[in-house]
């Protein structure tokens, strides 16, 4: 929404996008992207932040960009995240307003080799640092959202299994449970039944290991986490 607001307020906005979700969103909405950084947003590094800031500063210095905004997800604390839009360039004068109680400086600063050279170095470091911070914030926010979703999925799985165990706890009732609650539409239609499980059947490791455990007995149940594919979640297992 923050990026969409910028596009509405500034018709000539150029988008420099990091991460799969951003690229997918703008592509699906047929919104032109000036530059896509193809590395994953899940591995933020200072080197990548330097690459982004260098490109933006070069275009800004060349007059191709009049303003530079960064839109990112800010992790305010361990529970709350917020989408933010911050203008990096040009600076607002309020950025440098001294605190009211700060002692006034009487002696001018000296800059070596020159004020221009010092400011150029500061600008690149400032822009790189802010972008790196935004990449880290966005990564942490995404991880927090995933952890929250996984925790909710785990609690839901435990409640469903407890609900089944409180009933007649039969193979037929488990099939009904799968039909009514499974997100896997390919197996839900036949009561969650999967056959011919082997080390070569292509299932995720946790699923295969549980199913092929030599101690497994008919009627065994369990909850296993799916971490080996792009779709994360939990399986409620019943061994028949």
């Amino acid at each position: 929404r923050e990026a969409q607001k910028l596009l509405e307020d500034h018709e000539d906005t150029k988008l420099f996008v990091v991460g799969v979700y951003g690229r997918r969103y703008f592509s699906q909405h047929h919104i032109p992207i000036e530059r896509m950084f193809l590395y994953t947003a899940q591995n933020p590094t200072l080197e990548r932040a330097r690459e982004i800031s260098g490109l933006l500063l070069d275009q800004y210095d060349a007059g191709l960009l009049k303003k530079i905004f960064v839109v990112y997800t800010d992790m305010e604390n361990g529970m709350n995240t917020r989408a933010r839009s911050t203008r990096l360039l040009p600076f607002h004068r309020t950025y440098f307003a001294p605190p009211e109680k700060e002692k006034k400086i009487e002696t001018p600063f000296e800059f070596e080799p020159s004020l221009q050279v010092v400011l150029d170095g500061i600008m690149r470091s400032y822009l790189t640092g802010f972008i790196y911070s935004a990449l880290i914030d966005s990564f942490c926010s995404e991880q927090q959202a995933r952890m929250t979703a996984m925790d909710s999925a785990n609690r839901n799985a435990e409640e469903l299994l407890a609900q089944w165990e409180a009933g007649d706890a039969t193979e037929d009732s488990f099939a009904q449970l799968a039909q009514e609650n499974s997100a896997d539409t390919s197996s839900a239609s036949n009561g969650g039944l999967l056959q011919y499980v082997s080390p070569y059947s292509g299932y995720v490791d946790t699923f295969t290991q549980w199913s092929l455990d030599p101690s497994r007995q008919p009627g065994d149940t369990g909850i296993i986490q799916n971490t080996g594919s792009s779709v994360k979640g939990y399986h409620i297992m019943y061994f028949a």
Side-chain angles (χ1 to χ4, degrees), residues 7 14 34 39 55-56 78 85 97 112 139 143 182 186 197 201 210 228 234 239:
L7 291 170
K14 296 180 179 180
E34 180 73 13
Y39 41 74
L55 175 65
L56 295 176
S85 173
E112 294 290 343
F139 169 70
Q143 290 299 103
S182 179
S186 62
V197 178
S201 54
W210 189 93
Y234 287 86
F239 192 81

Side-chain angles (χ1 to χ4, degrees), residues 158-170 173-174 177 219 221-222:
E158 290 176 344
E159 290 172 2
L160 287 173
L161 182 57
Q163 173 187 327
W164 175 79
E165 291 174 338
D168 55 10
T170 63
S173 64
F174 190 89
L177 184 78
T221 60

Side-chain angles (χ1 to χ4, degrees), residues 79-101:
M79 296 298 295
N80 299 317
T81 60
R82 176 183 174 188
R84 291 186 181 275
S85 173
T86 301
R87 193 178 95 181
L88 299 184
L89 290 176
F91 283 129
H92 288 285
R93 292 178 63 87
T94 53
Y95 290 178
F96 303 98
E100 294 182 1
K101 296 182 179 180

